[in-house]
Amino acid sequence: MRAVILDRPGTQRVGDRPDPTPAAGEVVVRVHACGICGTDLHILDGEFPPTPYPITPGHEFAGEVVEVGTGVSGLSTGDRVAVDPSLFCGRCWQCQRQRGNLCEDWNAVGDTVDGAFAEYVAVPAGNCYRLPDSVDYSAGALVEPVACAVHGLRRLDLELGSSLLVVGAGTMGLLLMQLAHGAGAYEVAMVDQDPSRLTLAAELGAAATATSVEEIVDQHRGGFDYVVEATGVPAAGQAALGGVATGGTFMVFGVAPQDARLQVSPFEVYNREITVVGSMAVLASFAPAVNAVASGVVDAARMVTHVEPLDRFADAIQLTRQRAGLKVQVRPS
Ligand SMILES: [Zn+2]
Ligand SMILES: [Zn+2]
């Protein structure tokens, strides 16, 4: 089969690899769409420590089941599925208390084992979620980032009728905003430095938009009950923290450099009862994410701005690095 191969950090090529065969409990999926995310760039650059090389990346994908291993029930060839890439060990303390996304032996398809920038990929049958006919493969490949946003919303524990500010109107920020809207935040605002992204945010339901946190907090005196940092840029995180209302919650969702630091006043955290939470990857959030896409709570079609064939993987990566649009996907089949 044709597949993207990273022989070592900093190199990429599209070449031939043996077709995968399903082990017991696995199925082989013919990949129809696979999204590129920031983690893929880190893997390409050798900045994602758990990754072994050579590897075929790709963890946001949907496709068709073409082969079923022994011991698999409930899935057949021809089934259209989105695949949860998580491979939790099931035995560590975090797994045993149902927090597998924090697994002490964390693995994931496309991050630590071969993934879906390939014509075929073998995955555990239990990680497959059937797609309704109304959800095409492109929308199906968006289910993984939506599942990350669903987990984020659970971490926020959003109160009905509250106000929420999302800083960063990239794919993840826009998904979080749409889900928060659907979850009962009445006043949803977005900040981004790119005005064209704010236009889209408004079309997707943001009640207020601005190019800086200071500006939006001026409009919304007292700050927001929930503020989500969805850029990973430390300066944006620092500004975002300043938008949290008394009694409010600050969530770190964007992936910042590991050595980045924010300044927090412990007095204010105490005196104004500020809650700080993080949200990491997906945790039992695929089924609601499929529903979010199928129901239209998130507008998948508007999130996917570029689709490239597998042979043009390098161009797709370039588009992602240039932030040319929102989600860039690759179509291996
Ligand atoms: Zn991702
Ligand atoms: Zn574990």
Side-chain angles (χ1 to χ4, degrees):
M1 66 168 180
R2 301 291 285 167
V4 170
I5 302 161
L6 311 183
D7 294 300
R8 58 189 174 278
T11 71
Q12 62 184 62
R13 63 189 170 94
V14 178
D16 290 313
R17 288 199 113 171
D19 287 356
T21 50
E26 287 187 343
V27 298
V28 170
V29 172
R30 180 183 185 134
V31 182
H32 283 266
C34 184
I36 297 175
C37 93
T39 303
D40 295 310
L41 302 182
H42 290 307
I43 291 171
L44 274 159
D45 297 339
E47 293 167 352
F48 194 70
T51 306
Y53 298 84
I55 192 167
T56 293
H59 61 269
E60 301 181 357
F61 61 104
E64 177 190 355
V65 175
V66 291
E67 215 181 330
V68 176
T70 57
V72 172
S73 58
L75 267 185
S76 330
T77 57
D79 284 349
R80 302 166 68 256
V81 294
V83 182
D84 183 345
S86 311
L87 302 172
F88 306 148
C89 82
R91 294 176 301 274
C92 73
W93 163 241
Q94 299 294 354
C95 282
Q96 290 193 336
R97 62 179 188 139
Q98 311 301 326
R99 297 190 73 173
N101 62 323
L102 306 178
C103 176
E104 291 162 21
D105 185 22
W106 184 89
N107 282 277
V109 175
D111 294 334
T112 63
V113 303
D114 286 335
F117 292 125
E119 288 179 272
Y120 302 100
V121 60
V123 298
N127 289 43
C128 295
Y129 291 77
R130 244 193 235 96
L131 294 172
D133 290 341
S134 61
V135 176
D136 64 19
Y137 285 123
S138 184
L142 199 72
V143 169
E144 196 271 352
V146 173
C148 289
V150 167
H151 179 59
L153 261 285
R154 286 195 186 131
R155 294 284 295 154
L156 269 187
D157 199 13
L158 196 78
E159 196 173 320
L160 193 69
S162 55
S163 63
L164 175 137
L165 169 65
V166 179
V167 177
T171 308
M172 294 317 305
L174 289 166
L175 290 175
L176 285 158
M177 185 273 287
Q178 292 172 81
L179 285 178
H181 210 265
Y186 289 176
E187 295 173 85
V188 183
M190 289 205 82
V191 162
D192 197 286
Q193 290 177 342
D194 179 349
S196 71
R197 289 191 169 186
L198 294 179
T199 306
L200 178 58
E203 286 168 15
L204 292 171
T209 62
T211 51
S212 76
V213 172
E214 292 75 10
E215 188 186 335
I216 204 130
V217 170
D218 275 351
Q219 293 170 23
H220 199 277
R221 289 179 58 188
F224 292 81
D225 300 316
Y226 301 89
V227 176
V228 179
E229 198 307 289
T231 69
V233 178
Q238 192 68 57
L241 196 51
V244 183
T246 295
T249 298
F250 178 67
M251 182 165 79
V252 179
F253 192 92
V255 183
Q258 288 187 35
D259 58 355
R261 297 288 182 269
L262 295 185
Q263 279 204 313
V264 181
S265 155
F267 178 80
E268 286 199 36
V269 170
Y270 141 77
N271 185 251
R272 295 172 52 216
E273 293 197 341
I274 306 295
T275 303
V276 178
V277 298
S279 178
M280 150 65 192
V282 297
L283 180 63
S285 44
F286 254 69
V290 170
N291 289 343
V293 170
S295 66
V297 165
V298 301
D299 187 339
R302 298 201 67 179
M303 297 292 102
V304 180
T305 53
H306 297 80
V307 179
E308 298 288 342
L310 188 68
D311 282 332
R312 294 189 53 184
F313 181 73
D315 300 310
I317 289 294
Q318 220 27 53
L319 285 167
T320 308
R321 287 197 198 275
Q322 290 164 352
R323 292 166 48 92
L326 290 168
K327 180 60 72 183
V328 180
Q329 291 183 341
V330 172
R331 284 243 164 113
S333 305

